[in-house]
Amino acid sequence: MTINTRATEASATAQPLDIIALYRTMVTARVTNDILKTRKTQGRFPFYIGCAGHESMAAIVAALHEDDWLALYYRDLAAWLQRTGDIYGPLREAYSRTTGPMGAGRNMPSHYSSKRHRILPAFSEVAALGPFAGGVGFSLQRHQSQGIVMYSTGDGGAATNDFNATFRQAAVHQLPMLLVVEDNGWAITAESSIQWSGSLVEWARGGGIYAEEVDGTDPMATYLAATRLVQHIREGHGPALMHLRLGLLDAHSSSTDIKTYRKKEEIELTTATKDPVKNFGRWLVEHGHLQETDIEAIRKEIRADIEHAEATVLQEPEPGGDRVMHYVLDIPQWQENTPRGTKRQTTMLGAINEALIELAQRDPHFFVYGQDVGSPKGGVFGATANLVTQMPGRAISSPLNEQVIIGIASGAGMIDGKARCAEIQFVDYHQSAAQTIRLAARILYQSYGDWHAPLLIRTKSGSGGGGPISSSTAGGGAYGHSNAGEQWFTSIPGMITICPATPFDAKGLLLEAARAKSPVTFLERGRLYRSEPPKDAAGNIISAMAEYWNVPDGYYTLPIGKARRLRIGTGPTSVAIIAWGTMVLEACTAAANIANAGGIAVEVVDLRTLAPFDEEAVAAAVREANRVIVVTEESDLTSFGRHIHSWIVQNCFYDLDGTPAFIAALQAPAAPYYATEEIAFYPTARTIEEKIEELLAE
Ligand SMILES: Cc1ncc(C[n+]2csc(CCOP(=O)(O)OP(=O)(O)O)c2C)c(N)n1
């Protein structure tokens, strides 16, 4: 019954198409769909979302090579089957079995994912895989691979920011991408007419992407169009978009009643005319490839196979609660290494420049991607200036779109599991990419360890970069340039957050952060970019800190999750101050002033890594001093600082002889522009000093 038909002689993909195999794949998808839909109705599992009407996606996958990349969405069961041939996988995930290939039974069904088969991990967030797919395309292009990434989403998906960011990635960089909009006319209850105005094809063409409208109810037409578009991409003519018109034969999902929002006549017409499996069967019979009787025979044979597979899957283990913390975070094992290079006094900016050069020298695929980073200025702060001159092509300027940036860096890292660097100019502006960042941090967990999405986000945060509070004479950062930002990242499971206070730590931690398999946010405090070591009230440099402005040449790393404990003064410690970033310098100044005046010692614990923070060091410092102050540059709302404070109260209560103190910026938007207001907004060494005195007097 298998007939090889060379569908297109001119095709660059030119895989002989086995049309009967394609038909069988589509029938397998439909039968699996119908069985799972029934099982959900029987209460065998809580949720199902189906593929009926979308089976032509198998024809698109048939037009691709096995080593092309796929970014599928929940209607793409047929695409999964065409690529993997695995009928067990969808059943295993529907029944939440630990054997599930997509998330080991951890995720909802229909979230297609497989590293082995180059299927990127689908999210529930509609269209959100797009920016990552763009990153994969970016990497394929840089490596001059012949590979393509195919990204599909629905008509509703085409309205999302994620889709638009993906479109921009593909268009601006002319990436080897096939974007498929599976337009079934519905987004839950919303008709597709509200998702865009005018013609999707013309819109795409106007934006620099070749596009075609295709009849998805006709699998052969879909295959021929896919072959054409794939050829267009492979021949180097840039990305392509397929507006694939389909019919949705079922309700949106098992949670939706189709009759409440779709008219009877429309459902009947869709069923009669837009069923790609029926249409293809009819075509095969008409063209003499199958007999009428084969149609039912194939369906029955496939149903028996799936029922057999289902019986096997039901014997397989379900997840236990004991594994709920598996694959949350992947922190590299730190190797003790003594910096050997000659030490030179430098600034934090100098140290960051050096670290980026080291990373680029060690990994030929490492790059920094962000706004202005490829200009001779090296980004607005000059962090990539050396990279631009010393290693051309490794610092690449991006469009002004933070989601584009995060997607490119993170998706590129997914190909080989190594971090690429995304520079976000000011932490405030990460917000338009917040979903992509959160998802990058979720990939390891969601895929039960199958996928990593390493990503190194460097971003200027907190006060400074100008302003009276900094050492520069430029204007204050004000709103949009001054948020501290830690709570945005420390609240994300699966994310590592680092905030160095000194040039030495910045270089060593940045080099280690690039080894992490989990995403890292590296908060660079603007005020520290060019700062000198802190001084006491008499103008003397605080010796405990000064050495960290001397930075060794070459490669060295510092451990993630380890605080630095700094002792200022002599005798037993009377107060422990927990701080990070700029506040370490303010705390050291306050500690030195108190120690000079009172002959006591104060310990400053520089957290360095905020998430996961060094619980041992914090507990030990509190145990020794019995008094503690947590100080943060964040607004005093639900901040990361409050989390540390709360942790101390909960875990170190019996070691405290005084009120655990908390100092933060004010509960106002960060930060007023004019000097007096800016200074009033942030905590300073003086605020900390007063608090130490208060505690000592308790
Ligand atoms: C970003 C986001 N917003 C809302 C939802 C809830 N939601 C799930 S599916 C869906 C409709 C998607 O429609 P479309 O992209 O046309 O795909 P279809 O289901 O019609 O195939 C919505 C709104 C979601 N999952 N993600």
Side-chain angles (χ1 to χ4, degrees):
M1 220 190 292
T2 42
I3 298 162
N4 285 334
T5 297
R6 185 172 281 279
T8 54
E9 291 303 333
S11 163
T13 58
Q15 311 265 25
L17 175 68
D18 184 338
I19 49 175
I20 303 301
L22 177 62
Y23 176 66
R24 291 180 69 92
T25 301
M26 291 173 60
V27 175
T28 306
R30 177 64 61 80
V31 172
T32 305
N33 179 77
D34 292 350
I35 290 177
L36 290 178
K37 204 171 66 172
T38 310
R39 300 293 184 255
K40 153 62 197 147
T41 319
Q42 293 165 341
R44 307 282 289 277
F45 43 77
F47 178 76
Y48 182 65
I49 190 158
C51 70
H54 287 245
E55 290 85 352
S56 294
M57 285 303 292
I60 296 183
V61 176
L64 292 163
H65 290 162
E66 283 293 296
D67 53 4
D68 286 328
W69 296 72
L70 305 179
L72 305 176
Y73 92 115
Y74 48 79
R75 303 245 183 256
D76 290 339
L77 174 56
W80 162 272
L81 292 169
Q82 179 69 29
R83 169 56 63 88
T84 66
D86 174 16
I87 60 168
Y88 286 79
L91 300 168
R92 287 177 165 139
E93 296 296 349
Y95 282 106
S96 302
R97 300 296 141 153
T98 58
T99 46
M102 305 168 204
R106 179 169 264 180
N107 204 354
M108 284 176 139
S110 314
H111 286 59
Y112 301 103
S113 168
S114 167
K115 193 167 172 189
R116 183 156 76 91
H117 294 289
R118 298 193 164 181
I119 301 174
L120 296 168
F123 303 117
S124 294
E125 289 77 354
V126 164
L129 193 51
F132 295 90
V136 170
F138 190 79
S139 184
L140 294 175
Q141 187 186 56
R142 277 179 76 75
H143 299 169
Q144 279 145 15
S145 142
Q146 272 296 297
I148 287 181
V149 53
M150 189 274 280
Y151 158 64
S152 59
T153 187
D155 42 291
T160 60
N161 295 334
D162 302 69
F163 179 81
N164 286 282
T166 311
F167 184 92
R168 190 164 302 280
Q169 292 171 327
V172 167
H173 295 296
Q174 289 292 289
L175 300 179
M177 292 185 82
L178 174 61
L179 314 182
V180 180
V181 178
E182 296 177 45
D183 180 359
N184 58 29
W186 296 98
I188 310 188
T189 65
E191 293 182 47
S192 57
S193 53
I194 67 163
Q195 307 299 347
W196 61 80
S197 67
S199 152
L200 192 57
V201 164
E202 280 169 28
W203 175 82
R205 288 184 180 181
I209 295 192
Y210 176 69
E212 286 187 19
E213 184 169 315
V214 176
D215 180 3
T217 69
D218 176 347
M220 283 314 289
T222 307
Y223 176 76
L224 290 174
T227 306
R228 216 167 33 243
L229 295 183
V230 164
Q231 184 172 359
H232 166 95
I233 300 165
R234 268 205 238 283
E235 287 178 352
H237 303 304
L241 182 145
M242 184 189 288
H243 179 183
L244 189 63
R245 289 205 185 266
L246 304 154
L248 185 60
L249 304 182
D250 283 332
H252 171 74
S253 74
S254 61
S255 312
T256 329
D257 178 358
I258 195 167
K259 293 191 215 81
T260 57
Y261 66 100
R262 285 175 66 177
K263 293 202 178 74
K264 191 164 164 280
E265 304 73 52
E266 186 266 315
I267 299 171
E268 282 169 3
L269 186 67
T270 304
T271 311
T273 60
K274 295 188 176 172
D275 183 332
V277 182
K278 269 197 195 140
N279 291 352
F280 198 21
R282 203 176 303 127
W283 184 91
L284 288 167
V285 172
E286 278 166 15
H287 287 77
H289 298 303
L290 287 179
Q291 305 288 319
E292 189 70 53
T293 48
D294 291 333
I295 300 287
E296 187 50 18
I298 289 174
R299 199 194 61 78
K300 277 195 171 149
E301 187 194 317
I302 286 173
R303 189 170 175 102
D305 285 350
I306 294 170
E307 282 175 347
H308 172 76
E310 186 186 26
T312 308
V313 165
L314 285 170
Q315 305 305 313
E316 294 173 351
E318 292 163 89
D322 54 332
R323 64 166 216 185
V324 70
M325 287 304 292
H326 291 182
Y327 299 113
V328 175
L329 204 55
D330 194 340
I331 297 184
Q333 186 76 36
W334 183 68
Q335 314 283 340
E336 181 85 50
N337 59 100
T338 315
R340 294 180 204 284
T342 318
K343 285 189 173 179
R344 279 171 303 103
Q345 194 173 344
T346 186
T347 60
M348 189 179 282
L349 257 182
I352 291 167
N353 264 285
E354 286 178 26
L356 294 176
I357 293 279
E358 286 294 327
L359 291 173
Q361 282 172 344
R362 286 174 165 253
D363 175 359
H365 300 316
F366 179 82
F367 61 80
V368 181
Y369 185 71
Q371 288 149 34
D372 306 299
V373 302
S375 80
K377 187 170 161 54
V380 291
F381 295 102
T384 53
N386 291 3
L387 201 57
V388 170
T389 48
Q390 292 177 34
M391 304 196 70
R394 300 299 199 90
I396 305 151
S397 290
S398 72
L400 204 168
N401 184 313
E402 283 70 17
Q403 201 177 13
V404 163
I405 297 171
I406 296 295
I408 290 284
S410 184
M414 287 177 81
I415 284 201
D416 62 2
K418 288 188 183 162
R420 310 283 170 252
C421 180
E423 181 174 306
I424 298 293
Q425 216 159 64
F426 295 89
V427 73
D428 307 64
Y429 307 138
H430 89 284
Q431 293 177 94
S432 62
Q435 174 169 284
T436 309
I437 293 171
R438 285 185 173 269
L439 293 176
R442 198 177 76 196
I443 281 173
L444 177 68
Y445 190 76
Q446 166 179 321
S447 67
Y448 204 70
D450 192 30
W451 284 100
H452 283 90
L455 165 68
L456 176 52
I457 305 172
R458 291 182 28 257
T459 184
K460 182 269 172 190
S461 65
S463 60
I469 204 97
S470 75
S471 49
S472 158
T473 51
Y479 326 115
H481 305 100
S482 299
N483 256 302
E486 33 272 54
Q487 83 287 359
W488 281 321
F489 304 98
T490 53
S491 65
I492 304 177
M495 168 72 70
I496 298 165
T497 307
I498 295 173
C499 183
T502 68
F504 177 78
D505 285 350
K507 181 171 175 183
L509 284 168
L510 192 54
L511 289 171
E512 183 68 358
R515 294 184 61 232
K517 297 274 182 203
S518 288
V520 179
T521 301
F522 200 80
L523 296 172
E524 298 168 2
R525 294 300 202 223
R527 215 176 124 196
L528 300 182
Y529 270 151
R530 296 185 183 82
S531 79
E532 293 171 353
K535 296 178 182 145
D536 64 17
N540 302 313
I541 285 183
I542 299 163
S543 56
M545 285 294 275
E547 62 174 299
Y548 301 114
W549 266 253
N550 295 323
V551 176
D553 283 337
Y555 189 81
Y556 67 93
T557 61
L558 297 170
I560 291 171
K562 269 266 164 238
R564 181 184 292 294
R565 299 180 64 182
L566 298 154
R567 220 180 121 75
I568 295 171
T570 48
T573 47
S574 304
V575 178
I577 306 176
I578 318 296
W580 53 95
T582 313
M583 288 302 126
V584 172
L585 276 64
E586 297 289 342
C588 285
T589 299
N593 292 343
I594 294 277
N596 292 346
I600 62 158
V602 173
E603 178 171 346
V604 177
V605 179
D606 173 2
L607 284 186
R608 304 195 293 184
T609 301
L610 311 187
F613 75 91
D614 188 343
E615 296 180 357
E616 237 172 76
V618 172
V622 175
R623 221 171 16 248
E624 283 166 35
N626 309 121
R627 292 184 192 85
V628 70
I629 302 171
V630 177
V631 56
T632 178
E633 197 175 344
E634 304 159 275
S635 287
D636 185 10
L637 294 161
T638 50
S639 62
F640 170 71
R642 280 276 170 210
H643 171 69
I644 294 289
H645 186 262
S646 157
W647 186 90
I648 292 170
V649 172
Q650 189 176 346
N651 293 281
C652 310
F653 187 76
Y654 293 106
D655 292 316
L656 287 166
D657 287 346
T659 313
F662 182 67
I663 303 174
L666 303 181
Q667 293 181 355
Y673 176 69
Y674 192 65
T676 45
E677 269 200 303
E678 190 190 36
I679 290 166
F681 175 78
Y682 289 115
T684 63
R686 186 70 213 124
T687 336
I688 301 168
E689 233 175 287
E690 281 165 12
K691 190 55 83 180
I692 298 174
E693 280 161 358
E694 211 178 291
L695 274 188
L696 291 173
E698 259 189 14

